[in-house]
Amino acid sequence: MSFPASRPRRLRRTSALRTLFRETTLAPADLIAPVFVHAGTGVEPISGMPGVSRLDLDALAAFGAEAAEAGLGGILLFGVPATKDPTGTSASADDGIVQQGLRRLRSESGTDLVLIADTCLCAYTDHGHCGVLNSAGDVDNDATLPLLAQTAVSQAAAGADIVAPSDMMDGRVGAIRSALDASGQSDIAVMSYAVKHASAFYGPFREAAGSSPQEGDRRGYQMDPANSGEALREAWLDVEEGADALIVKPAITNLDLIYQVSEECGLPVSGYAVSGEYAMIESAAAAGQLDRQGAVLESLTAIRRAGAGTIITYHALEAASWLRAR
Ligand code: PBG
């Protein structure tokens, strides 16, 4: 049937009708807040991400309480350590900053909040790469695996419910899964960054985490943004190696891949609205070029509509408060 019998606008006439027929929902529990915990004291604003700061342990505990109160699904912890070295030793230290943060959150927030630890070496190595380097200065995939596994085991021991490897080394999900199982932590989940492009949209994050490569770039391990066949192969490898959930990032530039991975792989998929996506909206809104709340909620809804069950977003706390007020 076509016009005039068919009039799709009938279902858009009032707010109540639009709500009744809305196909995609967005709730605070779908949102995961990334948070930076640093080894220093105080709260340090991040210039490229207005509204986001590096938190010390006290501020992290307060953030955790706020996130639980807001009904967020979880928080994703990134560490900014006091010291760096060639092999990123502080990533897996029992008293590392993320491990301390996890213990603190676990003791203060109980099990109300899912705690996810980002597992990578780039913030902990002095050269800023996500793995260790061989004598030629290239990232040594296989030599990196045990270090990532050790890091994941220590994060789990400190209270992480989930570890999230973001390094893009081949075989890391399997290495981490085996190490967790061997250390008696078979109930700790792996949520892998399965599809992670070598993206220009991570710029503000690298300032926040102090994790820019000193030389070269990450294109030798992160994926080419031009590829979707490769993205599906990466996702399937993680499934086969024992991943429990998958992350696709960036989110807005990868809605097609969020859709494909969630349709095909059968695991929960999370879209990560990365630092550059956050900064784009913040800058445009600050310049009066768009409505901030509208732009944030529209983007998050699009990521859910594409197939992501959960969304990792720096807007999580604020979006949750807007959603509650709706
Ligand atoms: C670490 C890591 C990065 C991000 C998440 N984990 C940076 C990178 O790969 O360079 C980016 C997140 C963001 O931009 O918000 N490997």
Side-chain angles (χ1 to χ4, degrees):
M1 247 193 296
S2 59
F3 180 80
S6 176
R7 291 179 180 266
R9 286 184 55 202
R10 286 179 195 125
L11 301 187
R12 299 180 202 142
R13 202 165 47 81
T14 66
S15 172
L17 282 163
R18 290 190 293 272
T19 301
L20 181 62
F21 292 105
R22 184 162 298 130
E23 297 173 37
T24 305
T25 59
L26 189 63
D30 305 329
L31 306 177
I32 297 168
V35 54
F36 300 96
V37 57
H38 75 124
T41 48
V43 169
E44 298 177 351
I46 298 159
S47 67
M49 302 175 75
V52 181
S53 300
R54 281 181 289 265
L55 308 180
D56 65 8
L57 289 165
D58 288 338
L60 175 70
F63 185 89
E66 216 183 321
E69 174 68 27
L72 294 191
I75 64 177
L76 169 62
L77 216 56
F78 292 95
V80 186
T83 58
K84 301 180 190 245
D85 63 23
T87 57
T89 316
S90 54
S92 59
D94 193 43
D95 62 350
I97 187 59
V98 162
Q99 288 78 358
Q100 289 188 54
L102 288 165
R103 286 202 180 87
R104 183 79 188 263
L105 288 164
R106 185 53 77 212
S107 68
E108 290 181 28
S109 70
T111 53
D112 280 354
L113 192 64
V114 175
L115 302 182
I116 309 169
D118 182 89
T119 305
C120 195
L121 299 184
C122 59
Y124 305 88
T125 53
D126 51 12
H127 45 74
H129 279 290
C130 301
V132 291
L133 305 182
N134 62 21
S135 50
D138 297 323
V139 172
D140 187 332
N141 190 92
D142 296 10
T144 301
L145 299 182
L147 302 179
L148 292 167
Q150 224 179 307
T151 301
V153 166
S154 76
Q155 292 169 336
D161 297 296
I162 301 177
V163 294
S166 67
D167 52 282
M168 292 306 278
M169 296 303 120
D170 294 333
R172 91 276 204 213
V173 171
I176 288 171
R177 183 71 270 155
S178 310
L180 286 172
D181 292 355
S183 70
Q185 304 187 102
S186 55
D187 51 354
I188 300 305
V190 178
M191 177 158 135
S192 69
Y193 291 74
V195 178
K196 177 172 177 178
H197 284 144
S199 169
F201 290 99
Y202 308 152
F205 173 96
R206 292 183 188 167
E207 177 216 326
S211 64
S212 294
Q214 297 300 305
E215 272 179 56
D217 54 46
R218 302 207 204 288
R219 285 180 295 181
Y221 40 103
Q222 297 180 350
M223 290 175 37
D224 184 338
N227 298 350
S228 54
E230 184 189 12
L232 284 171
R233 286 195 296 280
E234 279 280 7
W236 274 118
L237 282 169
D238 287 7
V239 175
E240 284 159 13
E241 289 177 32
D244 301 284
L246 306 172
I247 300 172
V248 175
K249 78 182 258 200
I252 287 293
T253 55
N254 283 322
L255 294 175
D256 57 332
L257 297 178
I258 291 174
Y259 177 75
Q260 286 187 66
V261 169
S262 62
E263 285 285 298
E264 291 196 22
C265 296
L267 289 185
V269 171
S270 195
Y272 191 155
V274 299
S275 57
E277 298 177 69
Y278 175 87
M280 279 197 296
I281 292 181
E282 290 303 313
S283 298
Q289 292 163 330
L290 47 73
D291 165 46
R292 186 163 168 270
Q293 178 173 336
V296 170
L297 293 179
E298 183 177 330
S299 307
L300 297 178
T301 302
I303 297 164
R304 285 267 296 145
R305 193 191 67 229
T310 55
I311 305 168
I312 304 167
T313 167
Y314 300 95
H315 284 115
L317 267 183
E318 223 179 345
S321 75
W322 294 331
L323 291 170
R324 276 195 311 274
R326 266 214 302 219

Coordinates of all heavy atoms in Angstrom, one line a residue, residues 78 118 120 122 130 166 193 196 201-202 205-206 218 222 249 272 274-275 314, ligand 1:
F78 N 41.8 2.2 32.8 CA 43.1 2.4 32.1 C 44.1 3.0 33.1 O 43.7 3.9 33.9 CB 43.0 3.4 31.0 CG 42.2 3.0 29.8 CD1 40.9 3.3 29.7 CD2 42.8 2.2 28.8 CE1 40.1 2.8 28.6 CE2 42.1 1.7 27.7 CZ 40.7 2.0 27.6
D118 N 41.5 -2.7 31.1 CA 42.1 -2.7 29.7 C 43.5 -3.4 29.9 O 44.3 -3.1 30.8 CB 42.3 -1.3 29.2 CG 42.9 -1.3 27.8 OD1 42.1 -1.3 26.9 OD2 44.1 -1.2 27.7
C120 N 46.9 -4.0 28.1 CA 47.8 -3.6 27.1 C 49.1 -3.1 27.7 O 49.2 -2.9 28.9 CB 47.2 -2.5 26.2 SG 48.0 -2.2 24.6
C122 N 51.0 -0.4 26.2 CA 51.5 0.9 25.6 C 51.6 2.0 26.6 O 52.5 2.9 26.4 CB 50.6 1.3 24.4 SG 48.9 1.5 24.8
C130 N 52.5 -1.3 21.9 CA 51.6 -2.2 22.7 C 52.2 -3.5 23.0 O 51.6 -4.3 23.7 CB 50.3 -2.3 21.9 SG 49.4 -0.8 21.7
S166 N 43.7 -5.0 24.4 CA 43.5 -4.0 23.3 C 44.8 -3.8 22.5 O 44.9 -2.9 21.7 CB 43.2 -2.6 24.0 OG 44.3 -2.1 24.7
Y193 N 39.2 -6.6 22.3 CA 39.1 -5.6 21.2 C 39.4 -6.5 20.0 O 40.5 -6.7 19.6 CB 40.2 -4.6 21.4 CG 40.0 -3.6 22.5 CD1 40.3 -4.0 23.8 CD2 39.7 -2.3 22.3 CE1 40.2 -3.0 24.9 CE2 39.6 -1.3 23.3 CZ 39.8 -1.7 24.6 OH 39.7 -0.8 25.6
K196 N 39.9 -3.6 15.9 CA 40.5 -2.3 16.3 C 41.3 -1.8 15.2 O 42.4 -2.3 14.9 CB 41.3 -2.6 17.6 CG 42.0 -1.3 18.1 CD 42.7 -1.5 19.4 CE 43.4 -0.2 19.8 NZ 44.0 -0.3 21.1
F201 N 41.4 8.5 15.4 CA 40.5 9.0 16.4 C 40.9 8.6 17.8 O 40.2 8.8 18.8 CB 39.0 8.4 16.1 CG 38.4 9.1 15.0 CD1 38.4 8.5 13.7 CD2 37.9 10.4 15.0 CE1 37.8 9.1 12.6 CE2 37.3 11.0 13.9 CZ 37.3 10.3 12.7
Y202 N 42.1 8.1 18.0 CA 42.6 7.8 19.3 C 43.5 8.9 19.9 O 44.1 8.8 21.0 CB 43.4 6.5 19.4 CG 42.8 5.3 18.8 CD1 43.6 4.2 18.2 CD2 41.4 5.1 18.8 CE1 43.0 3.1 17.7 CE2 40.8 4.0 18.2 CZ 41.6 3.0 17.7 OH 41.0 1.9 17.1
F205 N 43.1 10.2 23.5 CA 43.4 9.1 24.5 C 44.9 9.1 24.7 O 45.3 8.9 25.9 CB 42.9 7.8 23.9 CG 43.3 6.6 24.8 CD1 42.4 6.1 25.7 CD2 44.5 6.0 24.6 CE1 42.8 5.0 26.5 CE2 44.9 4.9 25.4 CZ 44.0 4.4 26.4
R206 N 45.7 9.2 23.7 CA 47.1 9.0 23.9 C 47.7 10.1 24.7 O 48.7 9.9 25.5 CB 47.8 8.9 22.5 CG 47.4 7.5 21.8 CD 48.1 7.3 20.5 NE 47.5 6.1 19.9 CZ 47.6 5.8 18.6 NH1 48.4 6.5 17.8 NH2 47.1 4.7 18.1
R218 N 51.2 2.4 14.9 CA 50.6 1.1 15.3 C 50.1 0.3 14.1 O 49.4 -0.6 14.3 CB 49.5 1.3 16.3 CG 49.9 2.1 17.6 CD 49.1 1.6 18.7 NE 49.0 2.6 19.8 CZ 49.9 2.9 20.7 NH1 51.1 2.3 20.5 NH2 49.7 3.8 21.6
Q222 N 47.6 -2.8 14.6 CA 46.2 -2.5 14.5 C 45.8 -2.6 13.0 O 46.5 -2.4 12.1 CB 46.0 -1.1 15.1 CG 46.3 -1.0 16.6 CD 46.1 0.4 17.2 OE1 45.9 1.4 16.4 NE2 46.2 0.5 18.5
K249 N 36.0 -1.0 17.6 CA 36.3 0.4 17.8 C 37.2 1.0 16.6 O 37.9 0.2 16.0 CB 37.0 0.6 19.1 CG 38.5 0.2 19.1 CD 39.1 0.4 20.5 CE 40.0 1.6 20.5 NZ 40.9 1.6 21.6
Y272 N 32.9 0.8 20.9 CA 33.7 1.8 21.7 C 33.7 3.1 21.0 O 34.4 3.3 20.0 CB 35.1 1.3 21.9 CG 36.0 2.0 22.9 CD1 37.0 1.3 23.6 CD2 35.8 3.3 23.3 CE1 37.8 1.9 24.5 CE2 36.6 3.9 24.3 CZ 37.6 3.2 24.8 OH 38.4 3.9 25.8
V274 N 35.3 6.2 20.8 CA 36.6 6.5 21.3 C 36.8 8.0 21.6 O 36.0 8.8 21.3 CB 37.7 6.0 20.4 CG1 37.6 4.5 20.2 CG2 37.6 6.7 19.0
S275 N 38.0 8.3 22.1 CA 38.3 9.7 22.5 C 38.1 10.7 21.4 O 37.6 11.8 21.7 CB 39.8 9.7 23.0 OG 40.7 9.3 22.0
Y314 N 32.8 7.8 26.9 CA 33.2 8.8 27.9 C 32.0 9.7 28.3 O 32.1 10.4 29.3 CB 34.3 9.7 27.3 CG 35.6 8.9 27.0 CD1 35.8 8.4 25.7 CD2 36.5 8.6 27.9 CE1 36.9 7.7 25.3 CE2 37.6 7.8 27.6 CZ 37.8 7.3 26.3 OH 38.9 6.6 26.0
Ligands
PBG1 C1 45.6 1.0 24.2 C2 44.3 1.6 23.8 C3 44.0 2.7 23.0 C4 42.7 3.0 23.1 C5 42.1 2.0 23.9 N1 43.1 1.1 24.4 C6 45.0 3.6 22.3 C7 45.7 3.1 21.1 O1 45.5 2.0 20.7 O2 46.6 3.8 20.7 C8 42.0 4.1 22.5 C9 40.8 4.6 23.2 C10 40.3 5.9 22.8 O3 40.8 6.6 21.9 O4 39.4 6.4 23.5 N2 46.1 0.2 23.2

